[in-house]
Amino acid sequence: MNSITDLHIHTTASDGTDTPEELLMKIRDAGIRTFAVTDHDTITGALEMSKMIHDDVKFIRGIEFSCRTPETNTKCHILGLNYDSCNAEFINALRTGEEMRHKKFWKRIEILRDEFEITFTNEEIESLMKIQSVGKPHIANMIVSKGLAHDKQDAINRYVNKCRIGNDRLNADFVIRAIRSSGGIAVWAHPLGGEGESELSEDRFESTLSELISYGLHGLECFYSKYDYATCEHLESIANHNGLYVSGGSDYHGGNKKIPLGKLNAENIIVPPERLSIMKII
């Protein structure tokens, strides 16, 4: 059994393995009634999905921006939900994020060649460049295909994460301002750390949360597939205490992560829609 609301899902437009069409079929099969496509630094998948939706499910346009807080210098991911994709400030943030991701890609390719003697053919580069929001998993999978790592995570740990490329994220205040300008809802995704990430300390979490609230953060992703239910409830109480909306999502990536649709906590306890107060405004 899955929760029927999932506000954090990825497609092939970033690092998921399902096309929007394939994802929609799985959404219906899973009995999910409300969902958001939140690809990394791109809205291509969300725009494609919006063309296919009928009255049987509710779809929310989403995006996941890779950010850094300028004061506490914390890496974080900010979800934008229900934005106006034609808003000028939002478009500027989107283009800036795409440019930074493009620069990161070429820097990683250069470091892999110079420091690890891993080279890619022109055909391999072209196939990677065709991906709308190319990132670590795509490069890692290519390394695995060369027989240089056991699996994707091994390739990321052994090679990709060791490509030091400096400041590679958007400032969180810039992103939250752009989301708000577009009429969208800004949510701190997996605030204690996402799948494969180290967990934030309590002090770092509190200082980062205070900083993000000062920028106009709307909500907190309290229910998340990696977190046990007690942790989710603790985050829910923090959100309520700070006047933030409660959100929830699986972080589904298809075959790239072993996370099922609608899984909003580690125990897969069903979270009713009314527990997600963000549903009141989206």
Side-chain angles (χ1 to χ4, degrees), residues 204-275:
R204 191 62 173 268
F205 165 75
E206 290 178 355
S207 60
T208 302
L209 179 61
S210 295
E211 183 178 357
L212 292 174
I213 289 174
S214 74
Y215 300 145
L217 186 75
H218 291 102
L220 203 61
E221 189 175 56
C222 304
F223 292 93
Y224 180 69
S225 55
K226 175 185 174 182
Y227 304 158
D228 61 47
Y229 197 72
T231 298
C232 293
E233 290 191 310
H234 177 60
L235 287 170
E236 182 183 28
S237 67
I238 291 173
N240 290 333
H241 176 74
N242 286 278
L244 296 172
Y245 291 103
V246 174
S247 188
S250 64
D251 204 4
Y252 174 82
H253 281 69
N256 277 337
K257 290 185 180 181
K258 295 180 180 179
I259 302 171
L261 288 164
K263 182 178 181 180
L264 302 191
N265 54 82
E267 295 94 335
N268 205 17
I269 296 171
I270 293 176
V271 179
E274 53 267 26
R275 290 287 292 277

Side-chain angles (χ1 to χ4, degrees), residues 35-128:
F35 74 103
V37 168
T38 56
D39 285 313
H40 294 282
D41 302 313
T42 180
I43 61 173
T44 300
L47 293 180
E48 287 185 30
M49 181 65 76
S50 64
K51 299 173 184 176
M52 299 185 288
I53 296 299
H54 299 290
D55 293 339
D56 58 329
V57 291
K58 180 178 180 180
F59 171 65
I60 310 297
R61 292 184 306 279
I63 187 171
E64 182 174 9
F65 284 106
S66 299
C67 300
R68 186 184 297 274
T69 55
E71 293 182 17
T72 56
N73 195 32
T74 303
K75 291 183 178 180
C76 60
H77 289 87
I78 301 297
L79 300 176
L81 302 175
N82 241 10
Y83 48 76
D84 174 5
S85 60
C86 296
N87 174 268
E89 198 166 345
F90 182 82
I91 291 172
N92 181 44
L94 188 62
R95 288 176 176 169
T96 304
E98 289 173 345
E99 289 170 2
M100 293 186 76
R101 185 169 284 272
H102 185 75
K103 290 178 181 178
K104 282 191 291 184
F105 169 76
W106 284 110
K107 187 63 176 178
R108 286 184 176 123
I109 295 299
E110 179 183 324
I111 294 173
L112 288 169
R113 180 195 65 206
D114 295 345
E115 297 186 14
F116 298 101
E117 298 183 349
I118 298 175
T119 59
F120 299 92
T121 66
N122 289 336
E123 290 76 15
E124 289 170 332
I125 292 292
E126 287 177 7
S127 68
L128 288 170

